[in-house]
C-alpha cells in the first residue's frame, strides 16, 4: 500500500506562479530575478504567489531570465524620423505598445535604413540589448533580414519580407484584399482598371498587384502593367497623371494604399475627371485620409492596430519560451463615394 506521504510531490511551475499572481510569465520571471521594469504591486503579487505555492526557481532558468532587459524593439527600415508620424505606423505602434504594456515590457523604436541605422540595430541584436525585436518595412535584399536570422533573440516580422517566409510573422491578406477591391470595381461595370502599386521591392507591393492581376484575369480583362508608387500621396498623384497620359480611356483605379489613392483623386480632379462617374477609385488601408478625401475613398480595411498588437503578443510568447505559429489577419472592403 502506497501512503500519500510516499508519493513524490510535484514542484509548482513558473506558469502557476504567474497565474496565481495574475501576471504574465515574463513579468513573474523578471520579478523573481529582481529585473527592472516590474511595478511594486506586481512584484509583491509574485512574491506572495511564490510563498503560497512553495515555488523554488530552477537555477538554469534563473540564469537565462537574468539576461532579460525588460524591453522590446520595433525596428522600421526607414531613414526619415517622420515615418513614425505616418498614420499606418502610428497605429502599429499603438497596438504593439498596448500588448507590451500588458507584459510589462517597454517599447523601443528604431529606424534602420541608413548604414548608421543598420549598424545600431545590428549591435542591438548582437548585444541582446532587448528581449526581442519586431521588424517592419523590409525591402528586397535588406541586410536586416539576414541579421535577424543570425540573431540570438526572438525576431517577429511585421509583414513578410520578399523571399522565403520567416519562421515568425504577422501579416494581412494583401492578395485577398486587393482581389476584392478589383472585383468590386469590375462589378460596378469598370473594364479598364489600372493599378497604382506600392514599391515592388516589398512583399506588400507585389502581393497587392498579384491580387489585382488575379481578379482582372478571372474577369476576362487585361491587367495594366504596374504603375509603381512609394506609398506616399505625391507618388499616387504622379502615377495617376502618368496613367492618364498613357491610358486616357481608363475607367477604374486600384491604389495599393490610401495615401496613393488620395493622390490619385487629386490628379483626377486636376485633369477634369469626375470621380466616380468617369473614373472609380479604390484604395487600401482604411486610414483617416480615406474618410476625409474628396470624394470619400472606397478602400480595403486592414486591422493595423491589431497587426501591431499581434506582433507584440507573438514576441512575448517567444520570450516566454513558446513557439507560436505565423498569423494572417483578414481584410474587408469599405464602400464609400469614390467607387
Amino acid at each position: 500500500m502506497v501512503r500519500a506521504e510516499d508519493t513524490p510531490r510535484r514542484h509548482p511551475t513558473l506558469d502557476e506562479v504567474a497565474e496565481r499572481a495574475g501576471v504574465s510569465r515574463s513579468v513573474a520571471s523578471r520579478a523573481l530575478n529582481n529585473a527592472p521594469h516590474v511595478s511594486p504591486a506586481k512584484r509583491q503579487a509574485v512574491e506572495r504567489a511564490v510563498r503560497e505555492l512553495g515555488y523554488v526557481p530552477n537555477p538554469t532558468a534563473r540564469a537565462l531570465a537574468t539576461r532579460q532587459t525588460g524591453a522590446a524593439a520595433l525596428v522600421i527600415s526607414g531613414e526619415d524620423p517622420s515615418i513614425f508620424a505616418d498614420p499606418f505606423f502610428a497605429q502599429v505602434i499603438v497596438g504593439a505598445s498596448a500588448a507590451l504594456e500588458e507584459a510589462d515590457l517597454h517599447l523601443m523604436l528604431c529606424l534602420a535604413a541608413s548604414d548608421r541605422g543598420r549598424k545600431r540595430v545590428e549591435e542591438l541584436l548582437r548585444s541582446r540589448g532587448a528581449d526581442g525585436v519586431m521588424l517592419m518595412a523590409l525591402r528586397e535584399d535588406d541586410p536586416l533580414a539576414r541579421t535577424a536570422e543570425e540573431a540570438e533573440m526572438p525576431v517577429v516580422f511585421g509583414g513578410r519580407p520578399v523571399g522565403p517566409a520567416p519562421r515568425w510573422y504577422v501579416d494581412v491578406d494583401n492578395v485577398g484584399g486587393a482581389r476584392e477591391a478589383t472585383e468590386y470595381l469590375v462589378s460596378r461595370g469598370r473594364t479598364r482598371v489600372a493599378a497604382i502599386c506600392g514599391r515592388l521591392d516589398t512583399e506588400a507591393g507585389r502581393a497587392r498587384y498579384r491580387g489585382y492581376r488575379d481578379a482582372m484575369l478571372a474577369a476576362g480583362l487585361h491587367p495594366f502593367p504596374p504603375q509603381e508608387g512609394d506609398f506616399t500621396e505625391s507618388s499616387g498623384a504622379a502615377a495617376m497623371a502618368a496613367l492618364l497620359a498613357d491610358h486616357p480611356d481608363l475607367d477604374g483605379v486600384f491604389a495599393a494604399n490610401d495615401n496613393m489613392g488620395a493622390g490619385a483623386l487629386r490628379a483626377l480632379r486636376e485633369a477634369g475627371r469626375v470621380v466616380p462617374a468617369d473614373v472609380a477609385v479604390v484604395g487600401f488601408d482604411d486610414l483617416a485620409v480615406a474618410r476625409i478625401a474628396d470624394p470619400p475613398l472606397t478602400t480595403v480595411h486592414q486591422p493595423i492596430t491589431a497587426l501591431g498588437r499581434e506582433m507584440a503578443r507573438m514576441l512575448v510568447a517567444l520570450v516566454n519560451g513558446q513557439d507560436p505559429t505565423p498569423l494572417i489577419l483578414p481584410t474587408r472592403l469599405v464602400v464609400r463615394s469614390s467607387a
Side-chain angles (χ1 to χ4, degrees):
M1 179 177 178
V2 178
R3 296 174 299 175
E5 57 268 26
D6 294 331
T7 303
R9 184 173 180 270
R10 186 180 67 84
H11 295 293
T13 66
L14 180 59
D15 288 320
E16 290 170 334
V17 170
E19 183 178 1
R20 175 70 66 93
V23 300
S24 69
R25 189 179 191 277
S26 60
V27 170
S29 176
R30 292 203 301 278
L32 288 171
N33 291 284
N34 295 316
H37 311 307
V38 180
S39 68
K42 291 182 178 179
R43 194 181 298 276
Q44 290 171 10
V46 171
E47 292 171 352
R48 185 168 54 251
V50 167
R51 290 194 301 269
E52 293 173 354
L53 294 173
Y55 174 75
V56 178
N58 179 288
T60 302
R62 176 182 287 273
L64 291 173
T66 55
R67 300 176 66 186
Q68 294 184 342
T69 67
L74 174 60
V75 177
I76 298 176
S77 189
E79 294 179 316
D80 185 357
S82 67
I83 195 170
F84 288 124
D86 183 297
F88 176 87
F89 289 109
Q91 290 185 44
V92 169
I93 292 169
V94 168
S97 180
L100 292 175
E101 185 176 347
E102 293 175 359
D104 269 12
L105 288 171
H106 287 273
L107 177 63
M108 302 166 54
L109 300 176
C110 304
L111 288 173
S114 66
D115 289 340
R116 183 178 179 183
R118 278 192 294 271
K119 288 178 181 177
R120 286 200 306 268
V121 173
E122 288 170 359
E123 178 60 28
L124 176 75
L125 291 168
R126 283 195 300 267
S127 66
R128 294 186 63 90
D131 293 341
V133 171
M134 296 168 284
L135 285 179
M136 293 197 72
L138 296 189
R139 298 176 185 172
E140 188 174 16
D141 297 326
D142 194 316
L144 278 181
R146 293 191 299 274
T147 303
E149 291 176 0
E150 300 167 357
E152 295 182 2
M153 68 168 67
V155 177
V156 172
F157 287 79
R160 286 164 289 186
V162 174
R167 185 171 180 181
W168 298 295
Y169 64 84
V170 180
D171 206 349
V172 298
D173 186 6
N174 289 302
V175 173
R179 184 189 304 116
E180 184 178 14
T182 309
E183 289 171 347
Y184 178 76
L185 286 166
V186 172
S187 75
R188 305 296 290 176
R190 311 297 167 149
T191 59
R192 292 188 55 75
V193 180
I196 299 176
C197 304
R199 296 183 62 103
L200 293 177
D201 59 354
T202 67
E203 179 58 26
R206 294 184 183 186
R208 292 176 192 179
Y209 182 73
R210 286 199 301 272
Y212 153 82
R213 182 195 61 201
D214 292 349
M216 291 291 284
L217 292 173
L221 300 174
H222 180 66
F224 283 51
Q227 186 70 45
E228 189 172 357
D230 64 2
F231 295 113
T232 63
E233 191 271 351
S234 59
S235 74
M240 187 72 254
L243 283 169
L244 287 174
D246 293 339
H247 310 282
D249 58 343
L250 63 81
D251 59 9
V253 174
F254 165 63
N257 84 334
D258 290 342
N259 291 329
M260 294 191 298
L265 292 177
R266 174 165 64 87
L268 287 166
R269 186 165 54 249
E270 292 172 352
R273 303 297 179 92
V274 179
V275 177
D278 298 331
V279 181
V281 181
V282 177
F284 199 114
D285 283 341
D286 198 19
L287 298 173
V289 67
R291 296 189 290 275
I292 64 175
D294 182 21
L297 186 63
T298 293
T299 187
V300 175
H301 174 85
Q302 63 162 317
I304 304 172
T305 302
L307 175 66
R309 182 175 62 248
E310 295 304 326
M311 285 168 54
R313 286 179 174 174
M314 184 174 291
L315 187 64
V316 170
L318 289 167
V319 170
N320 288 339
Q322 302 171 32
D323 187 13
T325 57
L327 180 62
I328 302 292
L329 301 174
T331 60
R332 58 182 172 84
L333 188 70
V334 179
V335 177
R336 298 193 179 100
S337 305
S338 69

